[in-house]
Amino acid sequence: MRQVIVYDVGAAQLLTGDPDLAEKELTGPISIAAVHPADHAWLIDHVGEVTREGGLFLVEYRVLADDGAVRWLLSRGRTYLSEAGDPLRTCGILIDITEMHDGDDRYVVSGSGVSDDLLERAIDLALALKKTLGPDMPAGVRAATDLLLISLGQTLARIGRH
């Protein structure tokens, strides 16, 4: 099965360094070209594991900005599997947590199943809403959805839950 990644403009800028790659099917190294070289191997391993096993994930890693600055990202999402156990899709959010990050410690969490946690359920619903909104939806509605996702992600990062 061919695995492709599709980013919105913000994710394309953060992870590839090129916002023009937004809404395009990406594969291979270009999809994480801006990820800090020291984080490439373990991030690829973690993404592979989450893709195979499915479920929730929460991971922190570094990217290099155009100006060479190191930025810290928090990535939170879920990989969905078919009834046969094959990966169908992964969706999630990215939050730049550079200002909130303290030191070089990072944390990686993954797990399967549907959560009873209200915050996680709200994030899953907000992700589904974002996916449902098409390009014909008014910009204000899309912006409000993005703001909701950012706020939920910041809350998740602040309280340190997964």
Side-chain angles (χ1 to χ4, degrees), residues 47-100:
V47 168
E49 180 181 331
V50 168
T51 301
R52 285 186 302 277
E53 295 179 9
L56 296 171
F57 65 88
L58 182 66
V59 61
E60 294 179 4
Y61 53 95
R62 297 168 291 177
V63 293
L64 297 174
D66 290 340
D67 62 2
V70 174
R71 309 293 301 172
W72 280 92
L73 299 183
L74 173 72
S75 180
R76 192 271 185 207
R78 178 185 296 271
T79 296
Y80 297 89
L81 302 177
S82 70
E83 289 182 18
D86 298 318
L88 292 174
R89 65 184 163 86
T90 299
C91 12
I93 59 172
L94 288 174
I95 303 171
D96 185 333
I97 59 168
T98 304
E99 285 79 27
M100 299 183 321

Side-chain angles (χ1 to χ4, degrees), residues 142-156:
R142 289 193 318 267
T145 303
D146 289 342
L147 184 58
L148 173 62
L149 282 166
I150 289 168
S151 180
L152 288 167
Q154 288 171 333
T155 300
L156 185 70

